[in-house]
């Protein structure tokens, strides 16, 4: 609980000078006004701090990458500026410097569906600045029909062509464009576990901070969108530097999206596919070599450039009633190639509900719950059972069982621009090991955001 007090103290110091100019609840510009005067620029700010605690749990043995069985309390902190600039009617530039710091449980090891999506795969207690995004985006429009978009982080208010081809190039996160979901896509305001905020079976290209350099192409119509992206992969698993052999090692992502309504309730379904080529190893070859030599398997010892990893996933969100929504994700990858950039999940099935607080006169509050089942391929489980290590899990041996996570949260609007969330997670079989756990994780999250817009867009 002492750590939870620290998080409130840190956040209060940051928020005091900022809350005076918070505009998150400012009136939304009308369609006609912003169509006549589209935003030429905007500037948004966010700060998020998450305090977490887990208690002791059953653990007859531990390995080099195990979640520690003694109690742990940790705090994470991120702060981001989002600057958007309209270069021409259909061209925008976005620039997002970011600062992040904090430590995750056991150096962010020991859970496949890790508990804090705000923590990257690097444990740095001291906050450090870095470039999160720097990209340019251009729309090529077809026809006269347009659609209106509101001012937001990395989004300038105005009208865009309804039918358009958009090309985006620079530094970003692949999750900015792919695997969207209305009820679970942002660990700063929604679910926090890695395999619930995104599709955990999608090993998306990224450095340790979760960002990459690349290009995304999108063809958008009223009800359909088609996306294709190519992005740089890290040199090594969970690495901070990118592989420059782009013709050999890179990640490709494809996605098809269909938007629809059932009665008056909107929904969307997205089908994602990916092909990654990296300097990585094969669990099959690592196990075979270990059996021949009588040693512990090591997937890092047999890495080769251009090794292929592939997978697919489905994301669906559906409004059931005005304030109640449902979502689900399914994910699968080949399970034989080394996990490289995101997390150690080969199979994923999850679903959840999200309810706004209108019925109890708290329209800005949200209560939500979700269940996720993550699994491994057969050879991947054998690799870990023989003592092999992934980049974030490895107990030295393994009594395999799927890793189950139930996560629920209540998000409450405290004041203009400030939201507090209490989150509870329950893990069975952490890191797929039936011999260890279960584990309870309690979290408190504070999130602030506000925006500054040109006078004509207010």
């Amino acid at each position: 609980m002492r750590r939870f007090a620290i998080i409130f103290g840190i956040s209060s110091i940051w928020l005091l000078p900022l809350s005076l100019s918070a505009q998150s609840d400012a009136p939304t510009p009308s369609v006609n006004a912003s169509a006549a005067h589209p935003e030429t620029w905007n500037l948004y700010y966010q700060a998020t701090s998450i305090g977490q605690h887990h208690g002791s749990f059953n653990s007859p043995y531990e390995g080099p990458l195990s979640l520690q069985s003694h109690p742990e309390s940790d705090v994470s902190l991120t702060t981001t500026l989002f600057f958007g600039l309209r270069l021409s009617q259909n061209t925008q530039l976005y620039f997002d410097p970011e600062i992040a710091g904090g430590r995750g449980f056991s150096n962010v090891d020991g859970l496949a569906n890790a508990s804090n999506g705000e923590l990257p795969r690097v444990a740095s207690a001291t906050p450090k600045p870095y470039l999160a995004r720097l990209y340019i985006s251009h729309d090529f429009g077809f026809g006269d029909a347009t659609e209106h978009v509101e001012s937001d982080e990395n989004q300038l208010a105005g009208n865009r062509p309804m039918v358009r081809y958009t090309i985006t190039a620079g530094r970003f996160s692949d999750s900015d464009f792919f695997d969207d979901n209305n009820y679970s896509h942002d660990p700063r305001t929604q679910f926090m576990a890695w395999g619930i905020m995104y599709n955990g079976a999608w090993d998306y290209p990224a450095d340790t901070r979760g960002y990459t350099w690349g290009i995304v192409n999108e063809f958008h119509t009223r009800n359909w969108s088609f996306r294709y992206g190519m992005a740089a992969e890290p040199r090594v698993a969970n690495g901070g530097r990118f592989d420059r052999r782009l013709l050999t090692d890179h990640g490709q992502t494809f996605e098809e999206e269909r938007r629809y309504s059932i009665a008056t309730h909107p929904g969307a379904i997205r089908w994602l596919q990916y092909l990654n080529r990296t300097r990585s190893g094969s669990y099959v070859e690592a196990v075979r070599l270990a059996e021949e030599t009588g040693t512990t398997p090591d997937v890092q010892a047999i890495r080769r450039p251009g090794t292929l990893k592939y997978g697919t996933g489905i994301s669906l969100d559906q409004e059931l009633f005005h304030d109640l929504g449902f979502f689900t994700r399914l994910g699968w990858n080949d399970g034989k190639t080394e996990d490289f950039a995101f997390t150690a999940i080969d199979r994923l099935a999850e679903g959840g509900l999200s309810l706004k607080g209108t019925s109890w006169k708290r329209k800005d509050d949200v209560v939500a719950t979700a269940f996720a089942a993550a699994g491994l391929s057969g050879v991947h489980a054998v690799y870990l059972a023989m003592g092999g290590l992934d980049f974030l899990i490895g107990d030295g041996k393994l009594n395999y069982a799927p890793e189950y996570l139930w996560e629920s949260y209540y998000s409450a609007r405290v004041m203009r621009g400030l939201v507090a969330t209490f989150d509870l997670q329950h893990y069975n079989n952490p890191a797929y090991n039936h011999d260890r756990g279960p584990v309870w994780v309690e979290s408190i999250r504070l999130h602030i955001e506000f925006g500054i817009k040109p006078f004509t867009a207010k």
Side-chain angles (χ1 to χ4, degrees):
M1 295 307 294
R2 183 180 304 170
R3 291 298 181 92
F4 287 177
I6 293 174
I7 180 177
F8 280 105
I10 294 174
S11 299
S12 298
I13 293 173
W14 282 17
L15 304 184
L16 182 59
L18 300 174
S19 60
L20 297 177
S21 57
Q23 300 180 22
S24 61
D25 286 355
T28 302
S30 68
V31 173
N32 291 336
S34 58
H37 302 285
E39 279 187 332
T40 56
W41 63 271
N42 65 21
L43 180 66
Y44 281 83
Y45 172 85
Q46 78 82 28
T48 304
S49 189
I50 300 176
Q52 293 192 301
H53 173 83
H54 80 75
S56 58
F57 59 90
N58 178 58
S59 177
Y61 54 86
E62 294 179 354
L65 298 180
S66 293
L67 181 68
Q68 300 300 301
S69 58
H70 59 75
E72 294 182 281
S73 296
D74 290 295
V75 177
S76 68
L77 189 63
T78 66
T79 178
T80 315
L81 283 174
F82 305 88
F83 176 68
L85 176 65
R86 189 179 300 276
L87 302 180
S88 68
Q89 181 178 357
N90 291 322
T91 307
Q92 303 91 38
L93 172 71
Y94 296 101
F95 169 58
D96 300 353
E98 190 165 74
I99 297 174
R103 291 192 182 278
F105 296 142
S106 307
N107 295 317
V108 201
D109 293 327
L111 292 170
N113 197 345
S115 62
N116 184 353
E118 270 292 85
L119 268 176
R121 294 170 299 275
V122 58
S124 174
T126 303
K128 296 182 179 180
Y130 55 91
L131 177 64
R133 298 176 184 87
L134 177 62
Y135 65 86
I136 190 169
S137 182
H138 181 78
D139 293 337
F140 296 90
F142 304 92
D144 298 327
T146 62
E147 67 175 354
H148 180 71
V149 295
E150 299 291 349
S151 180
D152 205 344
E153 298 168 357
N154 295 326
Q155 183 170 284
L156 293 169
N159 285 349
R160 300 180 69 180
M162 177 64 72
V163 180
R164 61 183 182 268
Y165 164 64
T166 303
I167 184 168
T168 300
R171 179 170 170 83
F172 48 75
S173 173
D174 259 20
S175 61
D176 294 339
F177 305 97
F178 299 95
D179 189 42
D180 195 10
N181 193 288
N182 194 40
Y183 303 108
S184 183
H185 191 69
D186 186 355
R188 292 169 179 164
T189 59
Q190 299 172 322
F191 293 98
M192 296 192 300
W194 289 12
I196 297 182
M197 67 179 190
Y198 307 145
N199 194 321
W202 174 34
D203 197 18
Y204 70 94
D207 60 11
T208 54
R209 299 289 185 183
Y211 301 100
T212 186
W213 294 87
I215 186 168
V216 174
N217 304 269
E218 179 183 32
F219 183 70
H220 176 91
T221 69
R222 186 180 302 274
N223 297 317
W224 289 89
S225 292
F226 304 89
R227 304 180 185 93
Y228 167 74
M230 178 177 287
E233 292 277 6
R235 290 186 180 184
V236 298
N238 192 34
R241 301 177 66 185
F242 288 103
D243 195 329
R244 296 182 180 180
R245 298 167 296 189
L246 295 177
L247 297 179
T248 302
D249 296 330
H250 53 261
Q252 298 183 73
T253 309
F254 310 79
E255 188 175 60
E256 302 79 43
E257 177 180 353
R258 175 70 165 94
R259 295 173 294 278
Y260 59 89
S261 292
I262 298 177
T264 60
H265 303 294
I269 185 167
R270 304 165 191 87
W271 181 29
L272 178 147
Q273 311 90 44
Y274 73 91
L275 301 169
N276 291 346
R277 291 195 177 272
T278 56
R279 185 181 177 274
S280 55
S282 162
Y283 298 120
V284 176
E285 294 182 19
V287 168
R288 183 183 299 121
L289 180 61
E291 290 175 339
E292 292 174 354
T293 60
T295 59
T296 300
D298 182 4
V299 73
Q300 299 183 26
I302 52 174
R303 287 175 170 168
R304 298 186 183 89
T307 301
L308 175 64
K309 185 182 185 73
Y310 55 91
T312 186
I314 293 175
S315 172
L316 179 145
D317 58 73
Q318 176 64 56
E319 184 180 88
L320 302 178
F321 302 100
H322 179 64
D323 292 319
L324 178 66
F326 166 79
F327 76 93
T328 186
R329 280 192 181 96
L330 300 173
W332 176 93
N333 65 50
D334 61 30
K336 62 183 181 181
T337 311
E338 179 183 5
D339 295 316
F340 209 73
F342 187 27
T343 191
I345 296 177
D346 299 332
R347 316 284 185 260
L348 180 72
E350 66 184 47
L353 295 169
S354 178
L355 177 66
K356 293 182 179 179
T358 306
S359 62
W360 58 94
K361 304 186 186 307
R362 298 279 301 178
K363 64 182 180 66
D364 296 317
D365 291 6
V366 176
V367 59
T369 188
F371 177 80
L376 296 177
S377 68
V379 69
H380 197 168
V382 169
Y383 171 81
L384 292 172
M386 294 175 65
L389 302 176
D390 267 333
F391 67 77
L392 51 70
I393 62 172
D395 294 332
K397 56 182 179 178
L398 182 70
N399 179 11
Y400 176 75
E403 183 183 88
Y404 298 120
L405 168 62
W406 169 57
E407 179 177 3
S408 299
Y409 71 85
Y410 187 95
S411 176
R413 179 184 183 274
V414 177
M415 57 181 290
R416 184 172 61 181
L418 175 61
V419 176
T421 302
F422 177 73
D423 184 283
L424 185 64
Q425 300 167 337
H426 181 262
Y427 288 88
N428 276 330
N429 314 317
Y432 309 106
N433 199 335
H434 190 57
D435 292 340
R436 307 182 76 238
V439 183
W440 286 95
V441 178
E442 304 92 25
S443 305
I444 292 178
R445 175 177 63 200
L446 294 179
H447 173 75
I448 184 175
E449 63 179 52
F450 68 90
I452 301 174
K453 310 169 189 178
F455 177 78
T456 55
K458 292 181 181 178

